């Protein structure tokens, strides 16, 4: 079952310039999709469109249709902009409190999701004391407690060191199969082995779609960063079914 389906999706700027062009795609329940492309290809814009964040946005016109059979959460590229309170536990509770959820249920969901993501030790911390990776994790927690069917993660690994990258990748792995994930990245390396499918975006259009291994050449041609071992194997003309997806 598809959680989100777009048909003929187009986004134009105020001068009529096309930022996204006539895109049609769907994302299934529990599916992990890598949306990859070079900087400026429209990845973030597409993620926001699928998440419903472009409605009535000044300077943009959205055409076509986006249908959602379930709820969609969005983790922005700068997750700190999603944090509105000074304490982690209070911030994670914010969305549920706005929905009028009972305090006992809020507490149960926070504890449950924090344990699942191995983030319980963060709950009583100050937002200002978090690392970049921990900030991403807390923003993700605030989304997860609302129990969305699909989460759009906009370049969640950008500017993270190895330790913080492992934190976020661990969270992604924990969610796979249960929660639908659309992860936008210009560096496909850490996600090639984790994604069920990859979409290659070029100049606002989908250039290729398929299992990650099947679209390796398209990813390379689009200027997406691939693991060193993958690049070397492709350069040497090794058959795609033998090309490593890491290294």
């Amino acid at each position: 079952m598809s959680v989100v389906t777009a048909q003929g999706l187009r986004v134009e700027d105020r001068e009529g310039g096309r930022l996204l062009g006539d895109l049609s795609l769907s994302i299934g329940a529990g599916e992990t999709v890598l949306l990859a492309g070079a900087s400026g290809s429209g990845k973030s814009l597409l993620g926001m469109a699928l998440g419903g964040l472009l409605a009535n946005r000044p300077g943009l016109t959205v055409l076509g249709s986006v249908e959602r059979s379930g709820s969609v959460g969005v983790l922005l590229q700068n997750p700190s902009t999603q944090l509105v309170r000074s304490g982690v536990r209070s911030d994670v509770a914010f969305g549920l409190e706005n929905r009028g959820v009972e305090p006992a249920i809020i507490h149960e969901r926070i504890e449950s999701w924090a344990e699942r993501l191995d983030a319980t030790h963060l709950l009583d911390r100050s937002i200002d004391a978090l690392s970049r990776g921990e900030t991403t994790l807390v923003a993700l927690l605030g989304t997860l407690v609302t129990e969305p069917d699909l989460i759009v993660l906009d370049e969640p690994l950008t500017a993270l060191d190895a330790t913080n990258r492992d934190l976020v990748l661990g969270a992604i792995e924990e969610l796979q199969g249960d929660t639908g994930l659309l992860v936008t990245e210009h560096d496909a390396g850490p996600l090639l082995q984790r994604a069920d499918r990859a979409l290659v975006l070029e100049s606002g259009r989908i250039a290729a779609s398929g299992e990650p291994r099947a679209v390796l050449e398209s990813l390379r041609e689009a200027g997406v960063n691939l693991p060193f071992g993958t690049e070397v194997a492709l350069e040497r003309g090794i058959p795609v079914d033998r090309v490593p997806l890491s290294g």
Side-chain angles (χ1 to χ4, degrees):
M1 182 185 73
S2 295
V3 178
V4 174
T5 299
Q7 292 288 340
L9 175 63
R10 181 190 301 183
V11 179
E12 298 176 348
D13 62 22
R14 64 176 73 249
E15 286 78 33
R18 190 176 299 183
L19 304 177
L20 293 177
D22 299 321
L23 306 181
S24 295
L25 65 133
S26 64
I27 301 172
E31 186 180 19
T32 299
V33 178
L34 168 63
L35 175 60
S39 297
S41 61
K43 302 186 300 297
S44 296
L45 196 63
L46 177 54
M48 288 191 288
L50 296 177
L53 299 186
L54 296 186
N56 302 315
R57 185 156 179 165
L60 295 180
T61 300
V62 182
L63 305 170
S65 67
V66 177
E67 296 183 1
R68 304 173 187 87
S69 62
S71 58
V72 181
V74 179
L75 182 69
L76 299 175
Q77 190 173 139
N78 183 0
S80 64
T81 62
Q82 294 179 238
L83 308 183
V84 297
R85 291 176 170 171
S86 59
V88 169
R89 188 184 298 271
S90 175
D91 189 89
V92 173
F94 180 74
L96 293 178
E97 289 174 352
N98 277 351
R99 299 183 183 193
V101 178
E102 295 180 5
I105 296 177
I106 293 177
H107 175 77
E108 180 182 344
R109 286 197 193 177
I110 290 175
E111 293 293 334
S112 175
W113 279 109
E115 182 177 356
R116 184 170 173 182
L117 296 189
D118 196 22
T120 302
H121 63 291
L122 299 177
L123 291 179
D124 296 317
R125 298 264 297 276
S126 165
I127 293 293
D128 291 339
L130 301 176
S131 68
R132 176 65 185 262
E134 290 169 342
T135 298
T136 300
L137 211 56
V138 168
L140 181 58
L141 268 177
T143 300
L144 285 170
V145 294
T146 66
E147 299 187 343
D149 299 291
L150 171 71
I151 301 178
V152 177
L153 299 96
D154 188 12
E155 300 204 12
L157 305 179
T158 298
L160 298 184
D161 59 23
T163 299
N164 285 302
R165 177 171 287 209
D166 287 345
L167 278 179
V168 177
L169 286 172
I172 289 173
E173 290 175 347
E174 176 59 32
L175 296 173
Q176 285 188 286
D178 294 330
T179 303
L181 302 172
L182 175 67
V183 188
T184 79
E185 276 293 344
H186 71 276
D187 183 353
L191 294 160
L192 281 177
Q193 297 183 88
R194 294 173 170 88
D196 300 310
R197 182 161 54 104
L199 300 174
V200 185
L201 203 62
E202 285 192 84
S203 302
R205 297 179 182 274
I206 295 177
S209 174
E211 294 183 0
R213 188 179 296 280
V215 298
L216 284 176
E217 287 289 359
S218 295
L219 288 166
R220 187 185 184 199
E221 291 171 4
V224 175
N225 293 337
L226 297 174
F228 179 73
T230 306
E231 288 276 12
V232 170
L234 290 173
E235 187 68 28
R236 291 178 176 176
I238 293 174
V240 172
D241 62 346
R242 292 169 46 200
V243 171
L245 297 182
S246 62

